[in-house]
Coordinates of all heavy atoms in Angstrom, one line a residue:
M282 N 0.8 -1.2 0.0 CA 0.0 0.0 0.0 C 0.9 1.2 0.0 O 2.0 1.2 0.5 CB -0.9 0.0 1.2 CG -2.0 -1.1 1.1 SD -3.1 -1.1 2.4 CE -2.9 -2.7 3.1
V283 N 0.4 2.3 -0.5 CA 1.1 3.6 -0.7 C 0.4 4.7 -0.1 O -0.9 4.7 0.0 CB 1.4 3.9 -2.2 CG1 2.3 2.8 -2.8 CG2 0.2 4.0 -3.0
P284 N 1.1 5.8 0.4 CA 0.4 7.0 0.8 C -0.4 7.6 -0.3 O -0.1 7.5 -1.5 CB 1.5 7.9 1.2 CG 2.7 7.1 1.3 CD 2.5 5.9 0.4
L285 N -1.5 8.3 0.1 CA -2.4 8.8 -0.9 C -3.0 10.2 -0.3 O -3.2 10.3 0.8 CB -3.5 7.8 -1.1 CG -4.7 8.1 -2.0 CD1 -4.2 8.1 -3.4 CD2 -5.7 7.0 -1.9
T286 N -3.2 11.1 -1.2 CA -3.9 12.3 -0.9 C -5.2 12.4 -1.7 O -5.2 12.4 -2.9 CB -3.1 13.6 -1.2 OG1 -1.9 13.5 -0.4 CG2 -3.8 14.9 -0.8
L287 N -6.3 12.5 -0.9 CA -7.7 12.6 -1.6 C -8.1 14.1 -1.5 O -7.9 14.7 -0.5 CB -8.7 11.7 -0.8 CG -8.5 10.2 -0.8 CD1 -9.5 9.6 0.0 CD2 -8.5 9.7 -2.2
E288 N -8.7 14.5 -2.6 CA -9.3 15.9 -2.6 C -10.7 15.8 -3.0 O -11.1 15.2 -4.0 CB -8.5 16.8 -3.6 CG -9.1 18.2 -3.5 CD -8.3 19.1 -4.4 OE1 -7.2 18.8 -4.8 OE2 -8.8 20.2 -4.7
L289 N -11.6 16.4 -2.2 CA -13.0 16.4 -2.4 C -13.6 17.8 -2.1 O -13.4 18.2 -0.9 CB -13.8 15.3 -1.6 CG -15.3 15.2 -1.8 CD1 -15.6 14.9 -3.2 CD2 -15.9 14.2 -0.8
D290 N -14.1 18.5 -3.0 CA -14.7 19.8 -2.8 C -13.7 20.8 -2.2 O -14.0 21.5 -1.3 CB -15.9 19.7 -1.9 CG -17.1 19.0 -2.6 OD1 -17.1 18.9 -3.8 OD2 -17.9 18.4 -1.9
G291 N -12.4 20.7 -2.7 CA -11.4 21.6 -2.2 C -10.8 21.2 -0.9 O -9.8 21.8 -0.4
N292 N -11.2 20.1 -0.2 CA -10.7 19.6 1.0 C -9.7 18.5 0.7 O -10.1 17.5 0.0 CB -11.7 19.1 2.0 CG -12.7 20.3 2.4 OD1 -12.2 21.4 2.7 ND2 -14.0 20.0 2.4
E293 N -8.5 18.5 1.2 CA -7.5 17.5 1.1 C -7.4 16.7 2.3 O -7.4 17.2 3.4 CB -6.2 18.0 0.7 CG -6.1 18.6 -0.7 CD -4.7 18.9 -1.1 OE1 -3.8 18.8 -0.3 OE2 -4.5 19.4 -2.3
E294 N -7.2 15.4 2.2 CA -7.0 14.5 3.3 C -5.9 13.5 2.9 O -5.9 12.8 1.9 CB -8.2 13.7 3.7 CG -8.0 12.9 5.0 CD -9.3 12.3 5.5 OE1 -10.4 12.8 5.1 OE2 -9.3 11.4 6.3
R295 N -4.8 13.6 3.7 CA -3.6 12.7 3.5 C -3.9 11.4 4.2 O -4.2 11.3 5.3 CB -2.4 13.4 4.0 CG -1.2 12.5 4.0 CD -0.3 12.8 2.8 NE 0.9 12.0 2.9 CZ 1.5 11.5 1.9 NH1 1.0 11.6 0.7 NH2 2.6 10.8 2.1
I296 N -3.7 10.3 3.4 CA -3.8 8.9 3.9 C -2.5 8.3 3.9 O -1.8 8.2 2.9 CB -4.8 8.1 3.0 CG1 -6.1 8.8 2.7 CG2 -5.0 6.7 3.6 CD1 -6.9 9.3 3.9
E297 N -2.0 7.9 5.1 CA -0.7 7.3 5.1 C -0.8 5.8 4.7 O -1.9 5.3 4.4 CB -0.1 7.4 6.6 CG 0.0 8.9 7.0 CD 1.0 9.7 6.1 OE1 1.9 9.1 5.5 OE2 0.8 10.9 5.9
V298 N 0.3 5.1 4.8 CA 0.4 3.7 4.4 C -0.6 2.9 5.3 O -1.3 2.0 4.8 CB 1.8 3.2 4.4 CG1 1.8 1.7 4.2 CG2 2.7 3.9 3.4
E299 N -0.6 3.2 6.5 CA -1.5 2.4 7.5 C -2.8 3.1 7.6 O -2.9 4.3 7.8 CB -0.8 2.4 8.9 CG -1.7 1.8 9.9 CD -1.8 0.3 9.8 OE1 -0.9 -0.4 9.2 OE2 -2.8 -0.3 10.3
V300 N -3.9 2.4 7.4 CA -5.3 2.9 7.5 C -5.5 3.3 8.9 O -5.3 2.5 9.8 CB -6.3 1.9 7.0 CG1 -7.7 2.5 7.1 CG2 -6.1 1.6 5.5
P301 N -6.0 4.5 9.2 CA -6.2 5.0 10.6 C -7.3 4.2 11.2 O -8.3 3.8 10.6 CB -6.4 6.5 10.5 CG -6.9 6.6 9.1 CD -6.3 5.6 8.3
D302 N -7.3 4.1 12.6 CA -8.4 3.5 13.3 C -9.5 4.5 13.3 O -9.4 5.7 13.4 CB -7.9 3.2 14.7 CG -7.0 2.0 14.8 OD1 -7.2 1.0 14.0 OD2 -6.1 2.0 15.7
V303 N -10.7 3.9 13.4 CA -11.9 4.7 13.6 C -12.3 4.6 15.0 O -12.5 3.4 15.5 CB -13.1 4.2 12.7 CG1 -14.3 5.0 12.9 CG2 -12.7 4.2 11.2
N304 N -12.3 5.7 15.7 CA -12.6 5.6 17.2 C -13.5 6.7 17.6 O -13.9 7.6 16.8 CB -11.3 5.7 18.0 CG -10.4 6.9 17.6 OD1 -11.0 8.0 17.5 ND2 -9.1 6.8 17.5
E305 N -13.8 6.7 18.9 CA -14.8 7.7 19.4 C -14.3 9.1 19.2 O -15.0 10.0 18.9 CB -15.1 7.4 20.9 CG -15.9 6.2 21.2 CD -15.1 4.9 21.1 OE1 -13.9 4.9 20.9 OE2 -15.7 3.8 21.3
E306 N -13.0 9.3 19.4 CA -12.4 10.7 19.3 C -12.6 11.2 17.8 O -13.0 12.3 17.6 CB -11.0 10.7 19.6 CG -10.4 12.1 19.6 CD -8.9 12.2 20.1 OE1 -8.5 11.2 20.7 OE2 -8.3 13.2 19.9
L307 N -12.4 10.3 16.9 CA -12.5 10.7 15.5 C -14.0 11.0 15.1 O -14.3 12.0 14.5 CB -12.0 9.6 14.5 CG -12.2 9.8 13.1 CD1 -11.3 11.0 12.6 CD2 -11.8 8.6 12.3
L308 N -14.9 10.2 15.6 CA -16.3 10.3 15.3 C -17.0 11.5 16.0 O -17.8 12.2 15.4 CB -17.1 9.0 15.5 CG -16.7 7.8 14.6 CD1 -17.5 6.6 15.1 CD2 -17.1 8.2 13.2
F309 N -16.7 11.6 17.3 CA -17.5 12.5 18.1 C -16.7 13.8 18.5 O -17.3 14.8 18.8 CB -17.9 11.8 19.4 CG -18.7 10.6 19.2 CD1 -18.3 9.4 19.7 CD2 -19.8 10.6 18.4 CE1 -19.0 8.2 19.5 CE2 -20.6 9.4 18.2 CZ -20.1 8.2 18.8
G310 N -15.4 13.8 18.4 CA -14.6 15.0 18.8 C -14.9 15.5 20.1 O -15.0 14.8 21.1
V311 N -15.2 16.8 20.2 CA -15.5 17.5 21.4 C -16.9 17.0 22.0 O -17.2 17.3 23.1 CB -15.5 19.0 21.3 CG1 -14.1 19.4 21.0 CG2 -16.5 19.5 20.3
R312 N -17.7 16.3 21.2 CA -19.0 15.9 21.6 C -18.9 14.5 22.3 O -20.0 13.8 22.5 CB -19.9 15.9 20.5 CG -20.1 17.3 19.9 CD -21.1 17.2 18.7 NE -21.2 18.5 18.1 CZ -21.1 18.8 16.9 NH1 -20.8 17.9 16.0 NH2 -21.3 20.0 16.4
R313 N -17.7 14.0 22.6 CA -17.6 12.6 23.2 C -18.4 12.5 24.4 O -19.1 11.4 24.7 CB -16.2 12.3 23.5 CG -15.4 11.9 22.3 CD -14.0 11.4 22.6 NE -13.3 12.3 23.6 CZ -12.4 13.1 23.2 NH1 -12.0 13.2 22.0 NH2 -11.8 13.9 24.1
Q314 N -18.4 13.5 25.3 CA -19.2 13.4 26.6 C -20.7 13.3 26.3 O -21.4 12.5 27.0 CB -18.9 14.5 27.5 CG -17.5 14.5 28.1 CD -17.2 15.6 29.1 OE1 -17.8 16.6 29.0 NE2 -16.2 15.4 29.9
K315 N -21.2 14.0 25.3 CA -22.6 14.0 25.0 C -22.9 12.6 24.5 O -23.9 12.0 24.9 CB -22.9 15.0 23.9 CG -24.3 14.9 23.3 CD -25.3 15.4 24.3 CE -26.7 15.5 23.7 NZ -27.7 15.8 24.6
A316 N -22.1 12.0 23.6 CA -22.3 10.7 23.1 C -22.3 9.6 24.2 O -23.1 8.7 24.3 CB -21.2 10.3 22.0
S317 N -21.3 9.8 25.1 CA -21.2 8.9 26.3 C -22.5 9.0 27.1 O -23.0 8.0 27.6 CB -20.0 9.2 27.1 OG -19.9 8.3 28.2
S318 N -23.0 10.2 27.4 CA -24.2 10.4 28.2 C -25.4 9.7 27.6 O -26.3 9.4 28.3 CB -24.4 11.8 28.5 OG -24.9 12.5 27.4
L319 N -25.4 9.6 26.3 CA -26.5 9.0 25.6 C -26.3 7.5 25.4 O -27.1 6.8 24.7 CB -26.7 9.6 24.2 CG -27.2 11.1 24.3 CD1 -27.1 11.7 22.9 CD2 -28.6 11.2 24.8
D320 N -25.2 7.0 25.9 CA -24.8 5.5 25.9 C -24.6 5.1 24.4 O -25.0 4.0 24.0 CB -25.8 4.7 26.6 CG -25.2 3.4 27.0 OD1 -24.0 3.3 27.2 OD2 -25.9 2.4 27.2
I321 N -24.0 6.0 23.6 CA -23.7 5.6 22.2 C -22.4 4.9 22.2 O -21.4 5.2 22.8 CB -23.6 6.9 21.4 CG1 -25.0 7.6 21.3 CG2 -23.1 6.6 20.0 CD1 -25.0 8.9 20.7
K322 N -22.4 3.8 21.5 CA -21.2 2.9 21.3 C -20.8 2.9 19.9 O -21.5 3.4 19.0 CB -21.6 1.4 21.7 CG -22.3 1.3 23.0 CD -21.3 1.3 24.1 CE -22.1 0.9 25.4 NZ -21.8 1.8 26.5
V323 N -19.6 2.4 19.6 CA -19.1 2.3 18.3 C -18.7 0.9 18.0 O -17.9 0.3 18.7 CB -17.8 3.2 18.1 CG1 -17.3 3.1 16.6 CG2 -18.2 4.7 18.3
F324 N -19.3 0.3 17.0 CA -19.0 -1.0 16.5 C -17.8 -0.8 15.5 O -17.9 0.0 14.6 CB -20.1 -1.7 15.7 CG -19.7 -2.9 15.0 CD1 -19.6 -4.1 15.7 CD2 -19.5 -2.9 13.6 CE1 -19.3 -5.3 15.0 CE2 -19.1 -4.1 13.0 CZ -19.0 -5.2 13.7
K325 N -16.7 -1.5 15.8 CA -15.5 -1.3 15.0 C -15.2 -2.5 14.2 O -15.3 -3.7 14.7 CB -14.3 -1.0 15.9 CG -14.4 0.3 16.7 CD -13.3 0.5 17.6 CE -13.6 1.7 18.5 NZ -12.6 1.9 19.5
F326 N -14.9 -2.3 12.9 CA -14.6 -3.5 12.0 C -13.3 -3.2 11.3 O -13.0 -2.1 11.0 CB -15.7 -3.6 10.9 CG -15.4 -4.7 9.9 CD1 -15.8 -6.0 10.2 CD2 -14.8 -4.4 8.7 CE1 -15.5 -7.0 9.3 CE2 -14.5 -5.4 7.8 CZ -14.9 -6.7 8.1
H327 N -12.5 -4.2 11.2 CA -11.2 -4.1 10.6 C -10.9 -5.4 9.8 O -10.9 -6.5 10.4 CB -10.1 -3.8 11.6 CG -8.7 -3.7 11.0 ND1 -7.6 -4.0 11.7 CD2 -8.3 -3.4 9.7 CE1 -6.5 -3.8 10.9 NE2 -6.9 -3.5 9.7
E328 N -10.6 -5.3 8.6 CA -10.2 -6.5 7.8 C -9.1 -6.1 6.9 O -9.1 -5.1 6.2 CB -11.4 -7.0 6.9 CG -11.2 -8.3 6.2 CD -11.0 -9.5 7.0 OE1 -11.7 -9.6 8.1 OE2 -10.3 -10.4 6.6
T329 N -8.1 -7.0 6.8 CA -6.9 -6.7 5.9 C -6.6 -7.9 5.1 O -6.7 -9.0 5.5 CB -5.7 -6.4 6.8 OG1 -5.9 -5.2 7.6 CG2 -4.5 -6.1 5.9
T330 N -6.4 -7.7 3.8 CA -5.9 -8.7 2.9 C -4.6 -8.2 2.4 O -4.1 -7.1 2.6 CB -6.9 -8.8 1.7 OG1 -6.8 -7.7 0.9 CG2 -8.3 -9.1 2.2
P331 N -3.9 -9.0 1.6 CA -2.6 -8.6 1.1 C -2.7 -7.3 0.2 O -1.7 -6.6 0.1 CB -2.1 -9.8 0.3 CG -2.8 -11.0 0.9 CD -4.1 -10.5 1.3
K332 N -3.8 -7.1 -0.4 CA -4.0 -5.9 -1.3 C -4.8 -4.8 -0.8 O -4.8 -3.7 -1.4 CB -4.6 -6.4 -2.6 CG -3.7 -7.3 -3.4 CD -4.4 -7.7 -4.7 CE -3.4 -8.6 -5.5 NZ -4.0 -8.9 -6.8
A333 N -5.5 -4.9 0.3 CA -6.3 -3.9 0.8 C -6.6 -4.0 2.3 O -6.4 -5.1 2.9 CB -7.7 -3.9 0.1
S334 N -6.9 -2.9 2.9 CA -7.2 -2.8 4.3 C -8.5 -2.0 4.5 O -8.6 -0.9 3.9 CB -6.1 -2.2 5.1 OG -6.4 -2.2 6.5
L335 N -9.5 -2.5 5.3 CA -10.7 -1.8 5.5 C -11.0 -1.6 7.0 O -10.8 -2.6 7.7 CB -11.9 -2.5 4.9 CG -13.3 -2.1 5.2 CD1 -13.5 -0.7 4.5 CD2 -14.3 -3.1 4.8
K336 N -11.2 -0.4 7.4 CA -11.6 -0.2 8.8 C -12.8 0.8 8.8 O -12.9 1.7 8.0 CB -10.5 0.5 9.6 CG -9.3 -0.3 9.8 CD -8.2 0.4 10.6 CE -7.0 -0.4 10.7 NZ -6.0 0.3 11.5
F337 N -13.8 0.4 9.6 CA -14.9 1.4 9.7 C -15.5 1.3 11.1 O -15.3 0.3 11.9 CB -16.0 1.2 8.7 CG -16.9 0.0 8.8 CD1 -18.0 -0.1 9.6 CD2 -16.6 -1.1 8.0 CE1 -18.7 -1.2 9.7 CE2 -17.4 -2.3 8.0 CZ -18.5 -2.3 8.9
G338 N -16.2 2.4 11.5 CA -16.8 2.4 12.8 C -18.3 2.8 12.6 O -18.5 3.7 11.8
L339 N -19.2 2.2 13.3 CA -20.6 2.4 13.1 C -21.1 2.8 14.5 O -21.1 2.0 15.4 CB -21.3 1.1 12.6 CG -22.7 1.2 12.2 CD1 -22.9 2.2 11.1 CD2 -23.2 -0.2 11.8
A340 N -21.6 4.0 14.7 CA -22.1 4.5 15.9 C -23.6 4.0 16.1 O -24.4 4.1 15.1 CB -22.1 6.0 16.0
Y341 N -23.9 3.5 17.3 CA -25.2 3.0 17.6 C -25.5 3.1 19.0 O -24.6 3.4 19.8 CB -25.3 1.5 17.1 CG -24.5 0.6 18.0 CD1 -25.2 -0.1 19.1 CD2 -23.2 0.4 17.9 CE1 -24.5 -0.9 20.0 CE2 -22.5 -0.4 18.8 CZ -23.1 -1.1 19.8 OH -22.4 -1.9 20.6
R342 N -26.7 2.9 19.4 CA -27.1 2.8 20.8 C -28.2 1.8 20.9 O -28.9 1.5 19.8 CB -27.5 4.1 21.4 CG -28.8 4.7 20.9 CD -29.1 6.1 21.5 NE -30.3 6.5 21.0 CZ -31.5 6.2 21.3 NH1 -31.7 5.4 22.4 NH2 -32.6 6.6 20.7
M343 N -28.5 1.2 22.0 CA -29.5 0.2 22.2 C -30.8 0.9 22.7 O -30.7 1.8 23.6 CB -29.0 -0.9 23.2 CG -27.8 -1.6 22.7 SD -28.0 -2.5 21.1 CE -29.2 -3.8 21.6
E344 N -31.9 0.5 22.2 CA -33.2 1.0 22.6 C -34.2 -0.2 22.5 O -34.3 -0.8 21.4 CB -33.7 2.1 21.7 CG -35.0 2.8 22.1 CD -35.3 4.0 21.2 OE1 -34.6 5.0 21.3 OE2 -36.3 3.8 20.5
N345 N -34.8 -0.5 23.6 CA -35.7 -1.7 23.7 C -35.0 -2.9 23.1 O -35.6 -3.7 22.4 CB -37.0 -1.4 22.9 CG -37.8 -0.2 23.5 OD1 -37.8 0.0 24.7 ND2 -38.3 0.6 22.6
N346 N -33.8 -3.2 23.6 CA -33.0 -4.3 23.2 C -32.7 -4.5 21.7 O -32.5 -5.5 21.2 CB -33.7 -5.6 23.7 CG -33.7 -5.7 25.2 OD1 -32.7 -5.3 25.9 ND2 -34.8 -6.1 25.8
K347 N -32.8 -3.4 21.0 CA -32.5 -3.3 19.6 C -31.5 -2.2 19.3 O -31.6 -1.1 19.9 CB -33.7 -3.2 18.7 CG -34.7 -4.3 18.8 CD -35.9 -4.1 17.9 CE -36.9 -5.2 18.1 NZ -38.1 -5.0 17.3
A348 N -30.6 -2.4 18.3 CA -29.7 -1.3 17.9 C -30.5 -0.3 17.1 O -31.3 -0.6 16.3 CB -28.6 -1.9 17.1
T349 N -30.1 1.0 17.4 CA -30.7 2.1 16.7 C -29.6 3.0 16.3 O -28.6 3.1 16.9 CB -31.8 2.8 17.5 OG1 -32.3 3.9 16.6 CG2 -31.3 3.4 18.8
F350 N -29.8 3.7 15.2 CA -28.8 4.6 14.7 C -29.2 6.1 14.8 O -28.8 6.9 14.1 CB -28.4 4.2 13.3 CG -28.0 2.8 13.2 CD1 -28.9 1.8 12.8 CD2 -26.7 2.4 13.6 CE1 -28.5 0.5 12.7 CE2 -26.3 1.1 13.6 CZ -27.2 0.1 13.2
T351 N -30.0 6.3 15.8 CA -30.4 7.7 16.2 C -29.7 8.0 17.6 O -29.5 7.1 18.4 CB -31.9 7.9 16.3 OG1 -32.4 7.0 17.3 CG2 -32.6 7.6 15.0
S352 N -29.4 9.3 17.8 CA -28.7 9.6 19.1 C -29.7 9.6 20.2 O -29.4 9.3 21.3 CB -28.1 11.0 18.9 OG -29.0 12.0 18.7
E353 N -31.0 10.0 19.9 CA -32.1 10.0 20.8 C -33.3 9.7 19.9 O -33.2 9.8 18.7 CB -32.3 11.3 21.5 CG -31.1 11.8 22.3 CD -31.3 13.2 22.9 OE1 -32.0 13.3 23.9 OE2 -30.7 14.1 22.3
P354 N -34.4 9.3 20.5 CA -35.6 9.0 19.6 C -35.9 10.1 18.7 O -35.9 11.3 19.1 CB -36.7 8.8 20.6 CG -36.0 8.3 21.9 CD -34.7 9.0 21.9
N355 N -35.9 9.8 17.4 CA -36.2 10.8 16.3 C -35.2 11.9 16.1 O -35.5 12.9 15.6 CB -37.6 11.4 16.6 CG -38.7 10.4 16.6 OD1 -38.7 9.5 15.8 ND2 -39.6 10.4 17.6
K356 N -34.0 11.6 16.6 CA -32.9 12.6 16.4 C -31.7 11.9 15.7 O -31.3 10.9 16.2 CB -32.4 13.2 17.7 CG -33.4 14.2 18.3 CD -32.8 15.0 19.4 CE -33.8 16.0 19.9 NZ -33.3 16.8 21.0
S357 N -31.2 12.6 14.7 CA -30.1 12.0 13.9 C -28.8 11.8 14.8 O -28.5 12.6 15.7 CB -29.8 13.0 12.8 OG -28.6 12.6 12.1
M358 N -28.1 10.8 14.5 CA -26.8 10.5 15.1 C -25.8 11.7 14.8 O -24.9 11.9 15.6 CB -26.2 9.2 14.6 CG -25.0 8.7 15.4 SD -25.3 8.3 17.1 CE -26.1 6.8 17.0
F359 N -26.0 12.4 13.7 CA -25.2 13.5 13.3 C -25.2 14.6 14.4 O -24.2 15.4 14.5 CB -25.6 14.1 12.0 CG -25.4 13.2 10.8 CD1 -26.3 13.2 9.8 CD2 -24.2 12.4 10.7 CE1 -26.1 12.4 8.7 CE2 -24.0 11.6 9.7 CZ -24.9 11.6 8.6
N360 N -26.2 14.6 15.3 CA -26.2 15.6 16.4 C -25.0 15.5 17.3 O -24.6 16.5 18.0 CB -27.5 15.5 17.2 CG -28.7 15.9 16.5 OD1 -28.6 16.7 15.6 ND2 -29.8 15.3 16.9
V361 N -24.4 14.3 17.4 CA -23.3 14.1 18.3 C -22.0 13.8 17.6 O -20.9 13.5 18.2 CB -23.5 13.0 19.3 CG1 -24.6 13.4 20.3 CG2 -23.9 11.7 18.7
M362 N -22.0 13.9 16.2 CA -20.8 13.5 15.5 C -20.1 14.8 15.0 O -20.7 15.7 14.5 CB -21.2 12.7 14.3 CG -21.6 11.3 14.6 SD -21.9 10.3 13.2 CE -21.3 8.8 13.8
E363 N -18.8 14.8 15.2 CA -17.9 15.9 14.8 C -17.8 15.9 13.3 O -17.5 14.9 12.7 CB -16.5 15.6 15.4 CG -15.5 16.7 15.1 CD -15.6 17.9 15.9 OE1 -16.3 17.9 16.9 OE2 -15.0 18.9 15.5
G364 N -18.1 17.0 12.7 CA -18.0 17.1 11.2 C -18.9 16.1 10.6 O -18.6 15.6 9.5
H365 N -20.0 15.8 11.2 CA -21.0 14.8 10.7 C -20.4 13.4 10.7 O -21.0 12.5 10.1 CB -21.6 15.2 9.4 CG -22.4 16.4 9.5 ND1 -23.4 16.6 10.3 CD2 -22.2 17.6 8.8 CE1 -23.9 17.8 10.2 NE2 -23.2 18.4 9.3
G366 N -19.2 13.2 11.3 CA -18.7 11.8 11.4 C -18.4 11.1 10.1 O -18.3 9.9 10.1
M367 N -18.3 11.8 9.0 CA -18.1 11.2 7.7 C -16.6 11.3 7.4 O -16.2 12.4 7.1 CB -19.0 11.8 6.6 CG -20.5 11.8 7.0 SD -21.1 10.1 7.1 CE -21.3 9.8 5.4
H368 N -15.9 10.2 7.4 CA -14.5 10.2 7.0 C -14.3 9.1 6.0 O -14.6 7.9 6.3 CB -13.6 10.1 8.2 CG -13.7 11.2 9.2 ND1 -13.1 12.4 9.0 CD2 -14.5 11.3 10.3 CE1 -13.4 13.2 10.0 NE2 -14.3 12.6 10.8
S369 N -13.8 9.4 4.9 CA -13.5 8.3 3.9 C -12.0 8.1 3.7 O -11.2 9.1 3.7 CB -14.1 8.7 2.5 OG -15.5 8.9 2.6
V370 N -11.6 6.9 3.7 CA -10.2 6.6 3.5 C -10.1 5.4 2.5 O -10.8 4.4 2.6 CB -9.5 6.1 4.8 CG1 -8.1 5.7 4.5 CG2 -9.6 7.2 5.8
V371 N -9.3 5.6 1.5 CA -9.0 4.5 0.5 C -7.5 4.2 0.6 O -6.7 5.1 0.5 CB -9.4 4.9 -0.9 CG1 -9.1 3.8 -1.9 CG2 -10.9 5.3 -1.0
A372 N -7.2 2.9 0.7 CA -5.8 2.6 0.7 C -5.6 1.3 0.0 O -6.5 0.5 -0.1 CB -5.3 2.5 2.2

């Protein structure tokens, strides 16, 4: 794998050889305490093959014993995500 710079709508993001971890700090930033108070968790996935590496994090919380992808009933998870929690990496 090689380093890469992605540009989208004038924003550049440098991707190093190692695909970065998706974690609470990346997804929630300064809103981590709010996410924690709402009992929001992050499902983390990582798979690597000789030619590619994939990592993603999926923010969720449990409601009535089922996973939901809202921060509170009828409220988008984006309410607690830094920069709307959308980060793309290709390596």
Side-chain angles (χ1 to χ4, degrees):
M282 291 185 239
V283 298
L285 179 68
T286 300
L287 297 177
E288 183 175 342
L289 180 62
D290 295 334
N292 296 316
E293 287 188 2
E294 186 169 343
R295 172 96 174 144
I296 312 303
E297 299 302 328
V298 173
E299 177 69 24
V300 177
D302 286 326
V303 178
N304 57 39
E305 288 81 359
E306 185 175 346
L307 176 68
L308 291 175
F309 305 123
V311 297
R312 298 179 180 129
R313 281 189 312 259
Q314 288 183 339
K315 175 71 172 172
S317 180
S318 73
L319 295 169
D320 204 24
I321 295 172
K322 310 279 189 231
V323 177
F324 171 80
K325 298 173 186 174
F326 178 85
H327 178 205
E328 184 70 33
T329 300
T330 69
K332 294 185 178 184
S334 183
L335 170 70
K336 293 182 184 181
F337 70 83
L339 187 61
Y341 72 96
R342 66 181 181 83
M343 299 300 291
E344 185 177 291
N345 299 322
N346 295 318
K347 294 181 182 177
T349 181
F350 303 101
T351 59
S352 62
E353 298 177 78
N355 302 315
K356 287 195 178 179
S357 171
M358 190 65 76
F359 292 142
N360 289 334
V361 293
M362 291 185 144
E363 181 78 15
H365 296 302
M367 304 296 279
H368 298 276
S369 299
V370 175
V371 177

